[in-house]
């Protein structure tokens, strides 16, 4: 029987048709990056302090700027970065009864900053120095005691990712890749607009979960479909490049945020591409591999012929014997199979920890840009540029050096960069920024490598299950990352970097305990994992038999008779 991979060699393993589909589907990765780290701009927390109605009247009468009013009327406090203006307290006094003048606002009352005047909370809201821009933080006053609600905005996205990737993955296996993709994008379009029009913060969180439910699941369906349409030798390159378009989106995001200062309209822009993806119905076929797995041979044949025609190839008559690769097998994989043997338990633990670490460190380094206080647009753009070489580094090293050493090195470099960055003084700005960029590059390489290393280590019978289970830790990391970053940075701004560095170091060390998979045949069964030498001996004996001349084989048979 002829397999689809055999026919694909004739139809074109990566011809004009696959290139077209690959480019169109890679665009799905671009808005995914907007959603994944858009909180940096949508949830930006600007400089803020308590609003005092009396101070507002004086400021308008005197023509002061916000900074003038803050210097004159906001108490100071000792923070982790030195003496700063209080963000959550104001003086409890009647400013109209003071000698505050319009000429030199800070001179008359500067000594009162250090006096024993009573203080109170922000009873009348906050002033924001955000230059006309609006985030959901400024709209809903998510600062001071309510600042942890910002963490929830990103955490709810991770919850949606976690549930959606499993549910939509099941839909894609049951109902088809394209049907699931189209239904998912329609769902994303509706929920994305609901996020943009949320009347309050509770509604925002609910719609954010639903939005995340569709986004990651749709991205994963696209990843699966393009890898199923190309030849085996092109799958790794296509998969890595597909993720590189995510980095392209990272470069576009700060430009969008700069020209669209309102978080609601920015959310609309994030959603529009998903609505446009509905047009893929007319441009992209269903996966022939999936159709074969569902015994829909005639539809698979038609699509395969279409691919061959666009690639200007001719198919042989063997196409009539086309069958699915696993047509006669029934999957009986269970969750416990991932822990069935000592090696599988080690693989599952190490890979799950690496998925978790990659998500925490990657998201943490990006979201950290929103709390540093510099030009967030420029900083975000510069740090995004360093992601682009990641895919090229992977493609250059994995076939020459292998998987394990580059994977471990990427984690260790990221960890070292995080720790070094934490202890570089702020006065050495460019050195500190360069070190952070190195960490960003390292964790990007590690994040992209964990995907196919996970695929190569598990045997065929539990490969999909293994990737699905381990990758759920990525979403758990996405839920935890904002709490680690925002809460720990209140104690010390660089404390999250210490945590990120420690996690990455441990992840890199654990990777060294994994076997090298370069040039090693993919394991088919659990026995192949536990007894890899048996698989190699069978392969060598088969190769030796293929090398024997036919006449020698015939003589052996005659002699045996």
């Amino acid at each position: 029987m002829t397999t689809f991979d055999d026919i694909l060699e004739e139809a074109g393993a990566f011809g004009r048709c696959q290139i077209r589909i690959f480019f169109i589907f890679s665009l799905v990765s671009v808005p995914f990056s907007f959603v994944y780290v858009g909180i940096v701009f949508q949830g930006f927390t600007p400089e803020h302090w308590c609003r005092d109605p009396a101070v507002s009247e004086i400021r308008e009468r005197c023509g002061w700027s916000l900074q003038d009013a803050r210097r004159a009327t906001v108490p100071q406090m000792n923070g982790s970065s030195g003496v700063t203006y209080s963000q959550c307290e104001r003086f409890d006094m009647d400013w109209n009864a003071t000698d505050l003048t319009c000429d030199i606002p800070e001179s008359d009352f500067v000594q009162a900053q250090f006096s024993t005047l009573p203080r109170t909370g922000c009873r009348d809201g906050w002033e924001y120095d955000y230059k006309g821009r609006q985030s959901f933080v400024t709209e809903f006053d998510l600062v001071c005691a309510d600042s942890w609600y910002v963490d929830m905005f990103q955490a709810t996205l991770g919850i949606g990712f976690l549930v959606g990737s499993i549910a939509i993955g099941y839909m894609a296996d049951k109902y088809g890749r394209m049907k699931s993709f189209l239904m998912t994008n329609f769902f994303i379009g509706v929920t994305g607009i609901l996020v943009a029009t949320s009347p309050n913060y509770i509604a925002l969180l609910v719609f954010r979960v639903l939005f995340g439910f569709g986004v990651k699941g749709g991205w994963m369906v696209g990843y699966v479909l393009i890898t199923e349409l190309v030849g085996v030798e092109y799958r790794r390159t296509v998969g890595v490049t597909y993720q590189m378009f995510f980095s392209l989106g990272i470069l576009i995001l700060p430009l969008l945020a700069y020209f669209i200062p309102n978080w609601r309209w920015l959310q609309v822009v994030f959603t529009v591409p998903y609505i446009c993806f509905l047009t893929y119905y007319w441009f992209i076929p269903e996966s022939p591999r999936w159709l074969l797995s569902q015994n829909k041979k005639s539809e698979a044949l038609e699509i395969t012929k279409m691919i061959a025609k666009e690639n200007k190839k001719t198919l042989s008559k063997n196409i009539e014997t086309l069958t699915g690769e696993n047509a006669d097998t029934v999957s009986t994989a269970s969750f416990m199979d991932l822990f069935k043997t000592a090696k599988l338990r080690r693989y599952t633990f190490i890979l799950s920890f690496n998925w978790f670490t990659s998500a925490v460190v990657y998201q943490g380094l990006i979201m950290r840009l929103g709390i540093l206080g510099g030009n967030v647009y420029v900083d975000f753009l510069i740090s995004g540029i360093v992601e682009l070489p990641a895919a090229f580094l992977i493609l250059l090293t994995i076939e020459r050096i292998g998987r394990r050493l580059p994977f471990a090195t990427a984690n260790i470099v990221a960890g070292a960069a995080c720790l070094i960055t934490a202890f570089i003084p702020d006065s050495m700005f460019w050195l500190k920024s360069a070190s952070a960029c190195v960490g960003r590059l390292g964790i990007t390489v590690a994040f992209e490598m964990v995907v196919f290393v996970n695929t190569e280590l598990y045997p065929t019978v539990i490969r999909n299950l293994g990737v699905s289970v381990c990758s759920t830790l990525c979403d758990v990391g996405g839920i935890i990352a904002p709490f680690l970053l925002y809460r720990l940075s209140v104690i010390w701004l660089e404390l999250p970097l210490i945590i990120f560095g420690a996690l990455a170091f441990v992840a890199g060390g654990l990777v060294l305990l994994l076997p090298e998979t370069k040039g090693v045949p993919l394991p088919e069964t659990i026995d192949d994992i536990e007894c890899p030498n048996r698989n190699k001996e069978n392969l060598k004996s088969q190769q030796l038999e293929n090398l024997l001349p036919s006449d020698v084989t015939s003589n052996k048979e005659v002699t045996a008779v």
Side-chain angles (χ1 to χ4, degrees):
M1 302 295 285
T2 305
T3 66
F4 182 73
D5 281 323
D6 297 329
I7 298 300
L8 199 58
E9 289 299 322
E10 293 186 351
F14 193 55
R16 179 179 176 182
C17 179
Q18 287 98 331
I19 292 174
R20 173 180 62 83
I21 293 173
F22 166 66
F23 176 76
I24 292 174
F25 246 117
S26 292
L27 298 177
V28 176
S29 288
V30 176
F32 181 40
S33 65
F34 300 164
V35 177
Y36 196 63
V37 294
I39 186 176
V40 173
F41 302 102
Q42 289 183 296
F44 180 70
T45 302
E47 286 288 332
H48 57 278
W49 55 92
C50 296
R51 179 183 297 118
D52 188 318
V55 172
S56 297
E57 292 178 7
I58 296 173
R59 181 168 63 84
E60 291 179 6
R61 185 176 70 249
C62 296
W64 294 346
S65 67
L66 283 172
Q67 295 297 332
D68 289 337
R70 182 173 69 164
R71 284 194 297 270
T73 62
V74 176
Q76 293 181 334
M77 58 178 290
N78 292 319
S80 59
S81 57
V83 178
T84 60
Y85 290 101
S86 176
Q87 296 179 326
C88 304
E89 288 185 329
R90 65 179 176 88
F91 290 118
D92 187 14
M93 63 176 301
D94 181 9
W95 288 98
N96 292 318
T98 66
D99 296 329
L100 196 64
T101 64
C102 293
D103 296 332
I104 309 176
E106 63 267 32
S107 61
D108 294 328
F109 202 70
V110 68
Q111 295 302 320
Q113 301 276 5
F114 309 97
S115 70
T116 58
L117 287 175
R119 300 183 183 186
T120 185
C122 300
R123 295 175 300 188
D124 299 294
W126 285 264
E127 297 280 4
Y128 297 101
D129 187 12
Y130 201 21
K131 299 178 181 177
R133 297 179 177 271
Q134 186 180 56
S135 69
F136 65 80
V137 173
T138 61
E139 180 173 336
F140 298 117
D141 286 333
L142 303 180
V143 292
C144 296
D146 292 332
S147 60
W148 67 276
Y149 283 114
V150 182
D151 311 357
M152 289 298 299
F153 181 81
Q154 190 70 5
T156 52
L157 181 71
I159 294 172
F161 282 176
L162 178 62
V163 179
S165 58
I166 297 173
I168 295 173
Y170 173 80
M171 285 174 52
D173 285 338
K174 186 173 180 63
Y175 301 108
R177 313 309 193 210
M178 280 307 297
K179 284 183 180 177
S180 299
F181 179 78
L182 294 171
M183 288 189 294
T184 299
N185 278 276
F186 177 78
F187 182 79
I188 294 170
V190 173
T191 55
I193 297 301
L194 289 174
V195 171
T197 57
S198 300
N200 54 61
Y201 192 69
I202 299 301
L204 176 65
L205 293 183
V206 172
F207 296 143
R208 178 78 166 171
V209 173
L210 298 176
F211 187 58
F213 177 90
V215 169
K216 186 181 179 182
W219 181 83
M220 291 182 65
V221 171
Y223 182 91
V224 170
L225 193 145
I226 63 171
T227 55
E228 289 182 340
L229 286 175
V230 301
V232 177
E233 65 272 24
Y234 294 99
R235 289 181 190 172
R236 190 173 295 112
T237 302
V238 163
V240 172
T241 309
Y242 183 75
Q243 296 179 73
M244 188 177 71
F245 274 77
F246 182 95
S247 298
L248 179 62
I250 293 291
L251 296 180
I252 298 173
L253 177 58
L255 301 177
L256 290 176
Y258 181 79
F259 290 105
I260 304 173
N262 186 288
W263 74 272
R264 292 183 182 271
W265 283 109
L266 196 59
Q267 174 64 33
V268 172
V269 172
F270 293 174
T271 306
V272 167
Y274 291 101
I275 298 174
C276 296
F277 293 153
L278 294 174
T279 60
Y280 284 12
Y281 173 81
W282 290 280
F283 303 111
I284 298 177
E286 182 55 85
S287 167
R289 294 181 191 273
W290 177 82
L291 291 170
L292 286 171
S293 71
Q294 303 298 307
N295 295 320
K296 298 180 179 180
K297 182 177 176 181
S298 59
E299 295 179 39
L301 290 176
E302 289 300 319
I303 293 174
T304 306
K305 291 176 181 178
M306 181 273 293
I307 293 173
K309 182 178 180 181
E310 188 171 347
N311 290 341
K312 298 181 180 180
K313 300 285 187 177
T314 303
L315 296 178
S316 67
K317 294 182 180 180
N318 289 335
I319 192 173
E320 301 302 328
T321 63
L322 181 62
T323 184
E325 297 172 353
N326 301 311
D328 299 325
T329 63
V330 179
S331 175
T332 58
S334 69
F335 175 78
M336 294 308 298
D337 286 335
L338 301 178
F339 305 90
K340 191 172 184 179
T341 67
K343 286 186 178 179
L344 283 175
R345 285 193 293 271
R346 186 167 76 245
Y347 295 173
T348 302
F349 170 75
I350 294 174
L351 290 169
S352 296
F353 186 80
N354 270 269
W355 276 105
F356 174 83
T357 298
S358 295
V360 169
V361 179
Y362 182 82
Q363 283 198 52
L365 288 178
I366 291 180
M367 291 188 296
R368 181 174 178 271
L369 296 173
I371 62 175
L372 291 181
N375 189 321
V376 66
Y377 304 101
V378 175
D379 294 344
F380 196 96
L381 184 63
I382 293 174
S383 65
I385 291 174
V386 304
E387 284 195 19
L388 292 179
F392 298 106
L393 286 174
I394 293 172
L395 296 175
L396 286 173
T397 57
I398 58 175
E399 296 301 337
R400 292 174 173 81
I401 301 175
R403 279 69 159 151
R404 182 174 58 180
L405 188 58
F407 190 13
T409 302
N411 273 299
I412 293 171
V413 167
C418 287
L419 293 176
I420 292 171
T421 303
F423 293 102
I424 295 177
D426 293 338
S427 58
M428 304 175 69
F429 172 76
W430 288 109
L431 181 59
K432 195 178 184 74
S433 299
S435 178
C437 286
V438 171
R440 179 81 171 273
L441 175 61
I443 201 61
T444 301
V445 172
F447 212 160
E448 294 183 4
M449 287 199 69
V450 70
V451 180
F452 61 81
V453 170
N454 201 158
T455 303
E456 291 180 339
L457 281 175
Y458 283 108
T460 301
V461 292
I462 56 172
R463 184 168 296 131
N464 287 338
L465 178 66
V467 174
S468 298
V469 171
C470 292
S471 64
T472 56
L473 270 293
C474 171
D475 299 319
V476 174
I479 296 171
I480 294 175
F483 292 98
L484 280 177
L485 176 72
Y486 295 130
R487 295 312 104 211
L488 293 181
S489 62
V490 173
I491 302 172
W492 178 34
L493 184 61
E494 310 298 354
L495 183 57
L497 287 179
I498 306 296
I499 305 299
F500 298 158
L503 286 173
F505 260 121
V506 174
L510 291 174
V511 167
L512 295 175
L513 300 178
L514 296 174
E516 178 56 67
T517 57
K518 175 180 176 290
V520 177
L522 292 177
E524 297 294 334
T525 65
I526 294 177
D527 287 339
D528 292 339
I529 295 291
E530 293 302 312
C531 306
N533 292 330
R534 182 191 307 171
N535 191 29
K536 291 180 181 178
E537 290 172 2
N538 293 337
L539 182 62
K540 287 181 180 179
S541 62
Q542 184 179 359
Q543 292 173 342
L544 181 61
E545 183 179 342
N546 292 336
L547 289 173
L548 289 174
S550 59
D551 56 342
V552 174
T553 307
S554 301
N555 290 337
K556 285 185 178 181
E557 292 175 355
V558 172
T559 304
V561 173

